[in-house]
Amino acid sequence: MRSDSIKRGIEKAPHRSLLRALGFIDQELERPMIGVVNSFNEIVPGHMHLNDIAGAVKAGVRLAGGTPVEFPAIAVCDGIAMNHSGMKYSLASRELIADSIEVMAEAHQFDGLVLVTACDKVVPGMLMAAARINIPAIVISGGPMLAGRFRGQNVSLSNLFEAVGRVRAGAMTEEELCELEEATCPGCGSCAGMFTANSMNCLTEALGMALPGNGTVPAVSSARRRLAKLTGIRAVELVREGLRPSDILTMRAFENGLAVDMALGCSTNTVLHLPAIASEAGLEIDLDMINRISERTPNLCKLSPMGPHFMQDLDEAGGIPAVMAELSKKNLLHLDLPTVSGKTAGRIIEGRKVIRPEVIRSVEDPYSPSGGIAILRGNLAPGGAVVKKAGVDPEMLVHSGPARVFNSEEEAVEALIAGKIKKGDVIVIRYEGPRGGPGMREMLTPTATVMGLGLDKDVALITDGRFSGATRGASIGHVSPEAADGGPIAAVREGDIIDIDIPGNAINVRIGNEEMEARLREWKRPEPRVKKGYLVRYAGLVTSASTGAVLRRG
C-alpha cells in the first residue's frame, strides 16, 4: 500500500508515533488509509451539512476495512460572492482546491481519496486533483437543495435574482420580494436548479467518477446518507482493485460527459471545467469538439432556470442513468467504459427508464435536435465564445444591434438600473476575463436584471467574463481572447453593430479588418485592478477561457 511509506518498517517508528498521537491503533494502521476531503463550512448552504455526509462516508470506509482520515477543503458560495469584488475569487479558488488536495495527499501518502463536495468550483477543483494525483478516488456530493415554494409555485435562487429586476421595473413590490426571499432557499444543498454546482455533480456521475445518484438525490434525504456510506465502501474496494482516475477519465469518458451536458442543458461553466479536468488527465478538449458533440446530441431537459423543473424532479424522473439510457438509444454514448461503481456505464443504465417523460423527453421528441450549449466564433471572438442556447428565446437566436460598451460589470448594472439600455441593444462587458477581472466574475446580476426588466427578448449581453448557471437569455460569455489580452472585444466602440447568429455559431462586429487592426494598435493595456495577494499571482499565470482558464505550468 502507498501508505506503507509512512507506517511500515523500523525507520517509520517516528511516523507511527505521530500517528499514535492521533489515537490510531495497530489495526487501523494495518488497513488502507483513505483521505476524506470534506469541504464543509458555515457560510455555504451547499456545504453546511457535509460533516453529516463525511461521517457517513467514514462509516462506509470502516465497514469495508479501511481507515478514514478527514481533512478540509475551502469552498466559495457563488451566490453570496455575486456582484461584488468577492466574485473575483470564485473561479480562482478552483486551482487552490486542487493544489491543496495534492499537497495533503502527497505529503501524507493516502492510499485513496473520497472527495466530499457540493458547489460550483469545488467539484471541478476536486476532480482536477484526482486526475493529477491519480490514486484511487471517488466523489460524493452533498446533493441538491429542494426547491422553495412561493405562492403555490416551486422557485430557486435564479427567481430571486430576477425578482430584483422586476422590483426595479415596478412589476413586483418590495413586500413581495421579501416574501420570496424567505421562501427561496429552504435548507441545505446546492441551489435547486441546473446551475453550475448541480451541472458538475451530474457530469461527475456521467464521467464515471461518482456512484449513480450523485447528481440528483436530494441533500436532505436519507438516500443521500446511504449513498455516502456506499461511496466510502467503494473507496476501499477501489484501492484493493487498483482502479485509478486515469483508468476512468479517458477521452471517451469526456465525450460521454459532454453528451450528457448537452442533453441536460447544463451551465456554460462546464465549458471551463471539463477542459480543465481533462488537462490534468493529460487530454485536450477544444471548443470545436464541444460543438461537434452538441450538434449531434438532442436537448432532452429544461430544468430551472430554462424551464419549470428542478433537481428533485430530475431525480424522480430517473436521474442521470435515465438520461444516459435515453441517449444510448441513438448510440450517443460509449457504454463499455469503467466507472468507480465497478460496473461499466452500460451496466449502470441497463433497464433504466424515464419515469416522468415531461422532465426527461425522449430522443424522438427532444426540445431541440442539438445540445443546450453552442460555441460561437467570428471577428469578435476568434478564440471562441459560449452561450447556453437552450435558454435563449427563439426571437434572440439571431440578433443585430448597437454595442453599448462597459468596462466593468458595475458600469453595466448602473446603466440598466438607470434605464439607459434600450430594446435592440447589445450590452458589451469587457475587462472581466480570467486575467482582466481578474478571476472571470460570474455576472448573474446584469443578466437577471435584463430578465426582470422584461428585456430578455430584445437585448443581448456579451462579455469576456462568464455567467452563472442560473443565467438565461441571449448571454454570450467567455469571449476569447479577452480584452485584457488585447482581444478584439477591446476594440469595440459604442454604437458598433454586432451580429449574433447562434444557429450559425457566429458572432461578429461590423468593422473591417483594417479598422480592427488600427484600433488594436491604438489600444493600451489598462492598469491591473488588483495589485496584491493571490489574485496577482493568479492573473500572471491564468490562460484563456478557451482552454479552461487553467494555470500555465512551469
Side-chain angles (χ1 to χ4, degrees), residues 428-448:
V428 177
I429 305 177
R430 62 191 180 191
Y431 298 108
E432 291 287 7
R435 181 171 299 163
M440 203 180 185
R441 288 194 287 179
E442 279 187 354
M443 295 189 216
L444 181 54
T445 296
T447 57

Side-chain angles (χ1 to χ4, degrees), residues 194 201-203 205-206 215-216 260 264 314 318-325 349:
M194 187 55 79
N201 283 318
C202 288
L203 296 188
E205 193 176 326
T216 60
V260 173
L264 292 173
L314 181 60
I320 303 308
V323 173
M324 294 179 72
I349 69 172

Side-chain angles (χ1 to χ4, degrees), residues 78-85 87 157-166 168 408-417 427 429 441-453 455 461 466-472 475:
D78 278 23
I80 295 173
M82 198 70 68
N83 71 31
H84 58 85
S85 61
M87 180 48 75
L157 191 64
S158 63
N159 299 99
L160 193 53
F161 271 94
E162 291 175 10
V164 173
R166 295 183 65 205
R168 298 281 189 193
S408 70
E409 176 187 3
E410 288 82 359
E411 290 178 20
V413 171
E414 185 179 332
L416 277 163
I417 291 171
I427 301 168
I429 305 177
R441 288 194 287 179
E442 279 187 354
M443 295 189 216
L444 181 54
T445 296
T447 57
T449 303
V450 166
M451 298 295 299
L453 292 172
L455 294 172
L461 195 155
R466 62 192 178 91
F467 297 114
S468 166
T471 289
R472 57 193 174 117
S475 302

Side-chain angles (χ1 to χ4, degrees), residues 11-30:
E11 297 85 358
K12 306 302 179 185
H15 305 65
R16 289 193 297 274
S17 181
L18 291 166
L19 293 169
R20 293 184 195 285
L22 293 165
F24 287 117
I25 60 175
D26 287 344
Q27 289 91 328
E28 289 175 298
L29 295 181
E30 291 166 1

Side-chain angles (χ1 to χ4, degrees), residues 153-420:
Q153 299 293 319
N154 283 344
V155 292
S156 68
L157 191 64
S158 63
N159 299 99
L160 193 53
F161 271 94
E162 291 175 10
V164 173
R166 295 183 65 205
V167 171
R168 298 281 189 193
M172 188 180 206
T173 68
E174 289 191 37
E175 289 75 19
E176 289 170 326
L177 180 67
C178 288
E179 184 184 343
L180 178 60
E181 177 186 330
E182 291 279 352
T184 296
C185 298
C188 66
S190 44
C191 296
M194 187 55 79
F195 312 143
T196 305
N198 291 325
S199 295
M200 288 307 304
N201 283 318
C202 288
L203 296 188
T204 301
E205 193 176 326
L207 288 169
M209 286 296 293
L211 297 180
N214 178 71
T216 60
V217 172
V220 296
S221 68
S222 295
R224 175 62 56 178
R225 279 78 187 154
R226 295 195 295 272
L227 187 64
K229 287 181 183 176
L230 292 171
T231 298
I233 290 169
R234 276 302 297 162
V236 179
E237 292 172 349
L238 288 170
V239 171
R240 290 174 176 153
E241 293 164 10
L243 190 64
R244 298 170 182 265
S246 58
D247 301 315
I248 295 168
L249 293 174
T250 62
M251 185 57 79
R252 296 168 80 223
F254 282 103
E255 289 173 359
N256 278 2
L258 285 166
V260 173
D261 188 340
M262 300 308 162
L264 292 173
C266 288
S267 164
T268 53
N269 284 313
T270 60
V271 176
L272 286 174
H273 299 322
L274 290 178
I277 298 161
S279 177
E280 294 290 354
L283 305 170
E284 182 180 350
I285 294 176
D286 62 35
L287 298 184
D288 293 328
M289 172 184 167
I290 293 171
N291 252 356
R292 286 194 301 273
I293 292 175
S294 180
E295 285 167 6
R296 69 179 186 235
T297 308
N299 178 217
L300 305 181
C301 303
K302 280 199 181 288
L303 297 149
S304 174
M306 304 304 142
H309 303 122
F310 295 81
M311 295 305 297
Q312 64 212 62
D313 299 306
L314 181 60
D315 190 58
E316 290 174 8
I320 303 308
V323 173
M324 294 179 72
E326 199 61 34
L327 291 177
S328 72
K329 293 177 182 178
K330 284 203 168 184
N331 298 316
L332 293 169
L333 298 174
H334 306 290
L335 299 180
D336 58 338
L337 303 184
T339 73
V340 291
S341 70
K343 301 175 183 177
T344 63
R347 283 283 309 284
I348 288 172
I349 69 172
E350 213 169 79
R352 293 298 188 104
K353 295 180 180 178
V354 174
I355 307 301
R356 292 180 57 187
E358 77 279 14
V359 178
I360 304 171
R361 286 195 175 187
S362 72
V363 288
E364 288 80 22
D365 181 34
Y367 284 102
S368 71
S370 58
I373 289 175
I375 305 300
L376 313 183
R377 292 188 189 271
N379 72 348
L380 188 53
V386 62
V387 62
K388 194 170 184 176
K389 182 173 63 174
V392 180
D393 191 278
E395 297 172 35
M396 289 297 293
L397 289 170
V398 177
H399 178 78
S400 296
R404 303 298 311 280
V405 182
F406 304 97
N407 290 334
S408 70
E409 176 187 3
E410 288 82 359
E411 290 178 20
V413 171
E414 185 179 332
L416 277 163
I417 291 171
K420 295 179 180 179

Side-chain angles (χ1 to χ4, degrees), residues 86-146:
M87 180 48 75
K88 295 178 185 291
Y89 289 88
S90 174
L91 181 60
S93 74
R94 184 187 72 179
E95 319 307 314
L96 285 176
I97 292 161
D99 290 350
S100 64
I101 294 171
E102 176 194 356
V103 167
M104 290 296 289
E106 296 292 2
H108 304 104
Q109 293 292 288
F110 295 115
D111 296 301
L113 294 172
V114 179
L115 305 164
V116 184
T117 183
C119 290
D120 296 35
K121 310 310 170 294
V122 189
V123 188
M126 288 188 170
L127 284 168
M128 289 165 70
R132 184 189 304 172
I133 304 162
N134 199 32
I135 61 174
I138 185 170
V139 176
I140 174 71
S141 80
M145 186 185 291
L146 294 177

